[in-house]
Each structure stands twice: as C-alpha cells, then as structure tokens.
Amino acid sequence: MAVGIFDSGLGGLTVLDAVAKRLPDVPLVYLGDSAHAPYGVRTPDDIYDLTTKASQRLFDAGCDLVILACNTASAAALRRMQEGWVPEGKRVLGVFVPLIEALTERQWGDNSPPREVDVKHVALFATPATVSSRAFQRELAFRAIGVDVEAQACGGVVDAIEEGDMILAEALVSSHVEALKRKMPQPDAAVLGCTHYPLMAAQFQAALGPDVKVFSQAELVAESLADYLERRPAMVGPGTESAFLTTGNPAQVSARATQFLRRKITFDAA
Ligand code: DGL
C-alpha cells in the first residue's frame, strides 16, 4: 500500500510531512520533478505533459492514488487529466479543494450551493500559471458568494527556494505582499496557493500583519486525504515501500530537502 505525492520540486514536501504525521502507517512515494521546476512559468500543455508523466511514474511505483501536491499542476492539468487520462482503477487528486473547503467553512465533500461566508476579502499568493488559470476563483465560486479575491503572481519565489536562496525568497515575499496590499489594502485572509510557500509562512505572516488569517495547505490536505482513505480504503495501492524520487540531482535535492524538513531525507533518481 502506497500513496504517491507529486510536486514540481521540493514544495510538496510540506504536504508529505503533514500526511506522514497524520497517516504514519501509509507508505508514501514522493516524486519531485526538480529537473523541470519551476512549473509556474510554463504553458498549460507543458505542465499537463510533465504532470501526466510524473503521475505515471508514481503508478508504476505501486501507487493507485496520486496527490498533486502542486497548485500549478492542480490548476493547469488536473481537470484535463481527470477528464481523459487517468487510467481505470487509479485516481489523481489536487490540493485546491481542501483549501477552499476550509476557507468557506465546509465539511469535506459538501457540494451544497454557494453561500455567504465570513471572509470577504481574500489575498491569493500563487505562481504565475496558477494565477492566470483562475482555477482558484472558479472553485471558490462553486462554494461561496460575495468573496473578493485579489491574486498576486509571486514570480521568482519558487526558483529561490529550489536554489536554497532563502534571503532572496524572503525579499521577494515582502515585495509581493507589498504589491498585493497596493491592490487590496486590508485582506481578511490570505491563501498560500503554492506548496513551496509554507516554507516562507512566517515571512508572509510578518509582511501581512497579525490580523490576516493565513491559510496554508499541508495540514488541510492531510486531513482530507485521511477522510478520503477512510471512505475508500482500497485506494491505498499495492506498493509497500516509502521512497523519495527526483528527476534532478539526487545529492543536491537530498541536501535541500534535509535542510527544509530538518530530518534526513535521501532522494533517488526517478
Ligand atoms: N509547489 C508548486 C505549486 O504548488 C510550485 C510550482 C512551480 O514549480 O512553479 O504551485
């Protein structure tokens, strides 16, 4: 039994960590496509091709269920994959829906009509591809009315994190938050719509100020996965081993991952 977790690079490790804590008995196979990161500046076709290839690799590793722990892939490729690519008996799920369910105070899988919610002004921080897909606004509109969303494409942040340049990442976070505040001076909530950004959560919160509730995905996705597997236990696939796979340089990626998660992580070549 194994569940696959995919990201363009290291960001999905924030989700993997939360899932490993919530479901300690489920083997997890992580695949980071570091050779092709960042995805956020790629075209939807390109993101679709890379994401299907990576998901197939995770199916081959014994996973029946793959979590796209990448908002960019969830926004640009997931729907197309679910509509025409996912093989029979396999599932691919994204990371938007659990986040939006939390923001709109819904139970997992509540499909009732959209209604008014507490938050009125939401700042969305995400990659350029996620912002231009408008997938977040679309999913939100299915569940809530009267919510004003201002999106900020945070160019450069994923590259800086992948390179381990946290000083640059921090400077970019401050300038993206400033840019957002010029468009929406007082958001009530902020969504970290990229799985790399929880690694900079403290910087986002500091730049936004203490009154803004910052939503990040890792724990929300872990909780909704636990709920999903309780309802569909057969979706834990036949794989028995946890693994970390990368399309990048395994030694370099292992060193960065160990630094981010503060525990030893060893990647193998995908
Ligand atoms: N962690 C990915 C996300 O959640 C980053 C995408 C990228 O590689 O630009 O969007």
PDB file of all heavy atoms in Angstrom, residues 30-33 57 244-248 250 267-270:
ATOM      1  N   TYR A  30       7.239   9.890  -2.859  1.00  0.00           N
ATOM      2  CA  TYR A  30       7.284  11.299  -3.260  1.00  0.00           C
ATOM      3  C   TYR A  30       8.050  11.404  -4.573  1.00  0.00           C
ATOM      4  O   TYR A  30       9.114  10.794  -4.728  1.00  0.00           O
ATOM      5  CB  TYR A  30       8.007  12.105  -2.176  1.00  0.00           C
ATOM      6  CG  TYR A  30       7.997  13.594  -2.449  1.00  0.00           C
ATOM      7  CD1 TYR A  30       6.927  14.378  -2.049  1.00  0.00           C
ATOM      8  CD2 TYR A  30       9.047  14.212  -3.129  1.00  0.00           C
ATOM      9  CE1 TYR A  30       6.896  15.737  -2.312  1.00  0.00           C
ATOM     10  CE2 TYR A  30       9.025  15.569  -3.398  1.00  0.00           C
ATOM     11  CZ  TYR A  30       7.948  16.332  -2.983  1.00  0.00           C
ATOM     12  OH  TYR A  30       7.913  17.677  -3.238  1.00  0.00           O
ATOM     13  N   LEU A  31       7.521  12.194  -5.491  1.00  0.00           N
ATOM     14  CA  LEU A  31       8.266  12.467  -6.731  1.00  0.00           C
ATOM     15  C   LEU A  31       8.342  13.972  -6.942  1.00  0.00           C
ATOM     16  O   LEU A  31       7.307  14.650  -7.051  1.00  0.00           O
ATOM     17  CB  LEU A  31       7.579  11.791  -7.928  1.00  0.00           C
ATOM     18  CG  LEU A  31       8.153  12.133  -9.312  1.00  0.00           C
ATOM     19  CD1 LEU A  31       9.651  11.850  -9.400  1.00  0.00           C
ATOM     20  CD2 LEU A  31       7.447  11.353 -10.398  1.00  0.00           C
ATOM     21  N   GLY A  32       9.557  14.485  -6.970  1.00  0.00           N
ATOM     22  CA  GLY A  32       9.788  15.904  -7.249  1.00  0.00           C
ATOM     23  C   GLY A  32      10.441  16.027  -8.618  1.00  0.00           C
ATOM     24  O   GLY A  32      11.504  15.444  -8.858  1.00  0.00           O
ATOM     25  N   ASP A  33       9.815  16.806  -9.491  1.00  0.00           N
ATOM     26  CA  ASP A  33      10.331  16.944 -10.862  1.00  0.00           C
ATOM     27  C   ASP A  33      11.294  18.129 -10.940  1.00  0.00           C
ATOM     28  O   ASP A  33      11.123  19.035 -11.756  1.00  0.00           O
ATOM     29  CB  ASP A  33       9.141  17.115 -11.826  1.00  0.00           C
ATOM     30  CG  ASP A  33       9.562  17.000 -13.284  1.00  0.00           C
ATOM     31  OD1 ASP A  33      10.719  16.585 -13.541  1.00  0.00           O
ATOM     32  OD2 ASP A  33       8.732  17.321 -14.149  1.00  0.00           O
ATOM     33  N   ARG A  57       4.753   7.618 -13.440  1.00  0.00           N
ATOM     34  CA  ARG A  57       5.915   7.069 -12.698  1.00  0.00           C
ATOM     35  C   ARG A  57       5.467   6.617 -11.301  1.00  0.00           C
ATOM     36  O   ARG A  57       5.922   5.585 -10.794  1.00  0.00           O
ATOM     37  CB  ARG A  57       7.004   8.156 -12.619  1.00  0.00           C
ATOM     38  CG  ARG A  57       8.226   7.765 -11.819  1.00  0.00           C
ATOM     39  CD  ARG A  57       9.049   6.702 -12.535  1.00  0.00           C
ATOM     40  NE  ARG A  57      10.161   6.250 -11.728  1.00  0.00           N
ATOM     41  CZ  ARG A  57      10.096   5.283 -10.807  1.00  0.00           C
ATOM     42  NH1 ARG A  57       8.947   4.676 -10.578  1.00  0.00           N
ATOM     43  NH2 ARG A  57      11.166   4.919 -10.122  1.00  0.00           N
ATOM     44  N   PHE A 244      11.666   8.500  -1.939  1.00  0.00           N
ATOM     45  CA  PHE A 244      11.762   9.880  -2.424  1.00  0.00           C
ATOM     46  C   PHE A 244      12.473   9.820  -3.764  1.00  0.00           C
ATOM     47  O   PHE A 244      13.624   9.379  -3.845  1.00  0.00           O
ATOM     48  CB  PHE A 244      12.570  10.735  -1.448  1.00  0.00           C
ATOM     49  CG  PHE A 244      11.863  10.975  -0.144  1.00  0.00           C
ATOM     50  CD1 PHE A 244      12.036  10.096   0.921  1.00  0.00           C
ATOM     51  CD2 PHE A 244      11.017  12.057   0.016  1.00  0.00           C
ATOM     52  CE1 PHE A 244      11.370  10.311   2.123  1.00  0.00           C
ATOM     53  CE2 PHE A 244      10.343  12.272   1.215  1.00  0.00           C
ATOM     54  CZ  PHE A 244      10.528  11.397   2.269  1.00  0.00           C
ATOM     55  N   LEU A 245      11.787  10.255  -4.803  1.00  0.00           N
ATOM     56  CA  LEU A 245      12.346  10.194  -6.155  1.00  0.00           C
ATOM     57  C   LEU A 245      12.465  11.598  -6.721  1.00  0.00           C
ATOM     58  O   LEU A 245      11.590  12.444  -6.484  1.00  0.00           O
ATOM     59  CB  LEU A 245      11.427   9.368  -7.065  1.00  0.00           C
ATOM     60  CG  LEU A 245      11.090   7.942  -6.593  1.00  0.00           C
ATOM     61  CD1 LEU A 245      10.036   7.315  -7.512  1.00  0.00           C
ATOM     62  CD2 LEU A 245      12.342   7.086  -6.534  1.00  0.00           C
ATOM     63  N   THR A 246      13.535  11.831  -7.458  1.00  0.00           N
ATOM     64  CA  THR A 246      13.685  13.141  -8.100  1.00  0.00           C
ATOM     65  C   THR A 246      14.209  12.982  -9.522  1.00  0.00           C
ATOM     66  O   THR A 246      14.985  12.064  -9.793  1.00  0.00           O
ATOM     67  CB  THR A 246      14.651  14.055  -7.310  1.00  0.00           C
ATOM     68  OG1 THR A 246      14.792  15.301  -8.008  1.00  0.00           O
ATOM     69  CG2 THR A 246      16.039  13.443  -7.128  1.00  0.00           C
ATOM     70  N   THR A 247      13.775  13.892 -10.381  1.00  0.00           N
ATOM     71  CA  THR A 247      14.344  13.930 -11.735  1.00  0.00           C
ATOM     72  C   THR A 247      15.590  14.809 -11.748  1.00  0.00           C
ATOM     73  O   THR A 247      16.266  14.904 -12.768  1.00  0.00           O
ATOM     74  CB  THR A 247      13.325  14.512 -12.742  1.00  0.00           C
ATOM     75  OG1 THR A 247      12.945  15.812 -12.270  1.00  0.00           O
ATOM     76  CG2 THR A 247      12.094  13.622 -12.870  1.00  0.00           C
ATOM     77  N   GLY A 248      15.869  15.463 -10.631  1.00  0.00           N
ATOM     78  CA  GLY A 248      17.047  16.340 -10.545  1.00  0.00           C
ATOM     79  C   GLY A 248      18.258  15.578 -10.030  1.00  0.00           C
ATOM     80  O   GLY A 248      18.325  14.354 -10.107  1.00  0.00           O
ATOM     81  N   PRO A 250      20.129  13.880  -7.302  1.00  0.00           N
ATOM     82  CA  PRO A 250      19.682  13.341  -6.011  1.00  0.00           C
ATOM     83  C   PRO A 250      20.468  13.896  -4.809  1.00  0.00           C
ATOM     84  O   PRO A 250      19.859  14.175  -3.765  1.00  0.00           O
ATOM     85  CB  PRO A 250      19.892  11.832  -6.165  1.00  0.00           C
ATOM     86  CG  PRO A 250      19.813  11.584  -7.636  1.00  0.00           C
ATOM     87  CD  PRO A 250      20.412  12.802  -8.275  1.00  0.00           C
ATOM     88  N   PHE A 267      16.987  11.214  -1.466  1.00  0.00           N
ATOM     89  CA  PHE A 267      16.305  11.050  -2.759  1.00  0.00           C
ATOM     90  C   PHE A 267      17.084  10.093  -3.651  1.00  0.00           C
ATOM     91  O   PHE A 267      18.317  10.084  -3.641  1.00  0.00           O
ATOM     92  CB  PHE A 267      16.196  12.403  -3.472  1.00  0.00           C
ATOM     93  CG  PHE A 267      14.997  13.214  -3.090  1.00  0.00           C
ATOM     94  CD1 PHE A 267      15.011  14.003  -1.950  1.00  0.00           C
ATOM     95  CD2 PHE A 267      13.848  13.206  -3.870  1.00  0.00           C
ATOM     96  CE1 PHE A 267      13.894  14.765  -1.590  1.00  0.00           C
ATOM     97  CE2 PHE A 267      12.739  13.945  -3.529  1.00  0.00           C
ATOM     98  CZ  PHE A 267      12.765  14.734  -2.386  1.00  0.00           C
ATOM     99  N   ASP A 268      16.351   9.323  -4.447  1.00  0.00           N
ATOM    100  CA  ASP A 268      16.945   8.507  -5.504  1.00  0.00           C
ATOM    101  C   ASP A 268      16.505   9.072  -6.857  1.00  0.00           C
ATOM    102  O   ASP A 268      15.495   9.777  -6.926  1.00  0.00           O
ATOM    103  CB  ASP A 268      16.471   7.050  -5.398  1.00  0.00           C
ATOM    104  CG  ASP A 268      16.986   6.403  -4.123  1.00  0.00           C
ATOM    105  OD1 ASP A 268      18.192   6.541  -3.853  1.00  0.00           O
ATOM    106  OD2 ASP A 268      16.181   5.793  -3.405  1.00  0.00           O
ATOM    107  N   ALA A 269      17.229   8.683  -7.873  1.00  0.00           N
ATOM    108  CA  ALA A 269      16.861   9.134  -9.231  1.00  0.00           C
ATOM    109  C   ALA A 269      15.528   8.503  -9.630  1.00  0.00           C
ATOM    110  O   ALA A 269      15.308   7.319  -9.385  1.00  0.00           O
ATOM    111  CB  ALA A 269      17.945   8.723 -10.216  1.00  0.00           C
ATOM    112  N   ALA A 270      14.663   9.303 -10.220  1.00  0.00           N
ATOM    113  CA  ALA A 270      13.316   8.796 -10.592  1.00  0.00           C
ATOM    114  C   ALA A 270      13.418   7.812 -11.744  1.00  0.00           C
ATOM    115  O   ALA A 270      14.270   7.928 -12.588  1.00  0.00           O
ATOM    116  CB  ALA A 270      12.433   9.961 -11.000  1.00  0.00           C
TER     117      ALA A 270
END
